[in-house]
Amino acid sequence: MKTFHNPHHALHQGRHEMFRGRLVACHEVPARLDHVRAELQRRALGSLHEPAIDDAALDAAIARVHDPRYVAFLAHAWDEWVALDPSNAQRDALPSVWPLGNPHAFRRDRPPANFAARLGLYAFDAGTPLMAGTWTAARSGAACALAAARAVQDGQRAAFALTRPPGHHAGPDFFGGYCFLNNAAIAAQALRDAGRARVAVLDIDYHHGNGTQTLFYERADVLTVSLHGDPQTEYPFFLGYADERGAGPGEGFNLNLPLPRGTGFPAWRAALERAIRAVADFRADALVVPMGMDTFEGDPISGFLLRSADYTTVGRLLAELGLPTVFTFEGGYAVAEVGINTVNLLEGFWQAA
Ligand SMILES: [Zn+2]
């Protein structure tokens, strides 16, 4: 198994996020990735690489998933934030005004010149700070996802995109949930473009993979499945219900398995087995797993009760599908344990593959 790690991830290091009404220190920190990389090295699981992707190929892969206006916004966001007020160089950019969804309430077709307003046009929360190195880090993360997809396409059974910021909450033209570019979607689309006819995305993060669902909602060639905390009580709240089944040609190709806060491994595993059956029934010929480790019982912002040893079982169950598999690193905020839990899953997969 090859792991592609993001050499620029630490350029994205937020100071604060708005969390349950308070400005708090960011949960999504560089140490998360460092713990995973150290544990991979300690157990000598597979090989570690930096992604080697040329700029044109990377831009093309990002453009297959994200809107060009949104990509241009991200590329220049920090410069515009500082131009708005030079003292902003000392602060992360966070939005504070949003144009709601109702087209009769606010227009979304006229991006304001004011950058603080445009920040709200593309963001869906105030928990996702943007800073000087965000674009470099996110873009390099997309390169990890593309490199992992290529490795699988070149015959590797599995590859891991070890990157942050994470990606599964990012949609065609929006960021939030600590995510800017949807790494899992970029990998899935790259596999499609390389000739895989049917690609399944099985999202096991605690939070619904809303960005990925939105990106593929009207498509029959990419099955999206997510098991996650019930949006009635859990972030991102406004998507992730069981009755979201896809639309148009994508009708029947989205499966949501929301579970109540407090769910332990037996019930979570039953949902995973149902998700795996859906992937098998779809006759997928490649699999992408947005791998969030915030289902762990010690996670500070989530509510499932999986234990470290359970992740080995999760890896084994995923391997039994027998598919070429790309893993992308998503959530997981119990920083001290995220390395052990992540590598338990990968090792379980590898031992059963
Ligand atoms: Zn999450």
Side-chain angles (χ1 to χ4, degrees), residues 234-288:
E234 306 307 304
Y235 185 92
F237 306 115
F238 304 109
L239 208 67
Y241 289 92
D243 64 356
E244 297 153 16
R245 303 273 300 138
E251 177 90 50
F253 295 96
N254 185 76
L255 175 62
N256 284 329
L257 300 169
L259 297 162
R261 194 176 182 83
T263 294
F265 189 56
W268 191 90
R269 175 183 172 153
L272 177 67
E273 287 176 344
R274 194 175 154 204
I276 286 172
R277 279 197 302 278
V279 173
D281 290 347
F282 177 62
R283 293 181 296 115
D285 48 17
L287 175 66
V288 178

Side-chain angles (χ1 to χ4, degrees), residues 5 30 32 45 50 99 104 123 135 157 162 164 174 211 215 219 224 230 232 238 269 280 284 302 304 308 341-342:
H5 68 101
R32 301 173 57 244
L45 185 69
E50 292 188 4
H104 304 298
W135 175 240
R157 172 65 203 281
L162 174 55
R164 51 168 297 284
F174 57 82
L215 278 159
R219 286 172 54 173
T224 44
D230 188 337
Q232 280 282 349
F238 304 109
R269 175 183 172 153
S302 307
F304 291 164
S308 292
N341 295 343
T342 301

Side-chain angles (χ1 to χ4, degrees), residues 5 19 28 40 103 132 139 173 180 242 251 265 271-272 277 293 303 324 343 345:
H5 68 101
F19 181 71
E28 202 287 292
L40 280 169
R139 193 169 180 280
D173 58 356
F180 298 89
E251 177 90 50
F265 189 56
L272 177 67
R277 279 197 302 278
M293 309 309 291
V343 181
L345 193 157

Side-chain angles (χ1 to χ4, degrees), residues 168-169 177-178 205-208 235 292-295 301-302 330-333:
H168 73 145
H169 293 301
Y178 316 149
D205 190 278
Y206 179 75
H207 304 99
H208 175 242
Y235 185 92
M293 309 309 291
D294 39 11
T295 50
I301 61 169
S302 307
E330 306 289 345
Y333 307 101

Side-chain angles (χ1 to χ4, degrees), residues 16-306:
H16 297 108
E17 63 178 83
M18 188 63 81
F19 181 71
R20 298 173 190 165
R22 287 179 303 137
L23 208 54
V24 302
C26 286
H27 293 96
E28 202 287 292
V29 295
R32 301 173 57 244
L33 188 149
D34 297 335
H35 279 292
V36 176
R37 192 172 48 207
E39 188 67 12
L40 280 169
Q41 286 172 318
R42 195 180 70 77
R43 294 196 221 173
L45 185 69
S47 55
L48 273 167
H49 308 264
E50 292 188 4
I53 304 286
D54 67 70
D55 282 345
L58 179 56
D59 289 337
I62 292 171
R64 293 287 287 145
V65 167
H66 293 286
D67 184 82
R69 200 176 72 170
Y70 171 65
V71 173
F73 162 81
L74 286 180
H76 303 293
W78 180 253
D79 290 345
E80 292 195 56
W81 173 244
V82 175
L84 196 64
D85 176 350
S87 72
N88 278 348
Q90 308 306 317
R91 293 188 268 279
D92 297 345
L94 277 178
S96 55
V97 58
W98 290 271
L100 293 180
N102 182 339
H104 304 298
F106 291 105
R107 292 181 65 166
R108 303 183 61 91
D109 63 322
R110 296 286 296 268
N114 183 300
F115 176 77
R118 235 167 336 114
L119 196 55
L121 182 62
Y122 295 111
F124 70 86
D125 66 22
T128 312
L130 194 154
M131 66 225 64
T134 298
W135 175 240
T136 302
R139 193 169 180 280
S140 178
C144 292
L146 183 56
R150 284 184 177 181
V152 158
Q153 199 55 28
D154 290 343
Q156 291 277 320
R157 172 65 203 281
F160 178 32
L162 174 55
T163 185
R164 51 168 297 284
H168 73 145
H169 293 301
D173 58 356
F174 57 82
F175 71 95
Y178 316 149
C179 302
F180 298 89
L181 295 176
N182 194 314
N183 302 313
I186 288 167
Q189 184 63 48
L191 288 164
R192 280 287 297 111
D193 291 342
R196 303 273 172 176
R198 287 177 301 279
V199 177
V201 181
L202 202 179
D203 190 319
I204 58 171
D205 190 278
Y206 179 75
H207 304 99
H208 175 242
N210 64 293
T212 321
Q213 171 172 315
T214 298
L215 278 159
F216 297 116
Y217 204 62
E218 298 187 11
R219 286 172 54 173
D221 58 332
V222 179
L223 173 74
T224 44
V225 183
S226 179
L227 44 158
H228 50 263
D230 188 337
Q232 280 282 349
T233 58
E234 306 307 304
Y235 185 92
F237 306 115
F238 304 109
L239 208 67
Y241 289 92
D243 64 356
E244 297 153 16
R245 303 273 300 138
E251 177 90 50
F253 295 96
N254 185 76
L255 175 62
N256 284 329
L257 300 169
L259 297 162
R261 194 176 182 83
T263 294
F265 189 56
W268 191 90
R269 175 183 172 153
L272 177 67
E273 287 176 344
R274 194 175 154 204
I276 286 172
R277 279 197 302 278
V279 173
D281 290 347
F282 177 62
R283 293 181 296 115
D285 48 17
L287 175 66
V288 178
V289 179
M291 182 181 175
M293 309 309 291
D294 39 11
T295 50
F296 179 55
E297 61 179 353
D299 196 273
I301 61 169
S302 307
F304 291 164
L305 302 173
L306 273 65

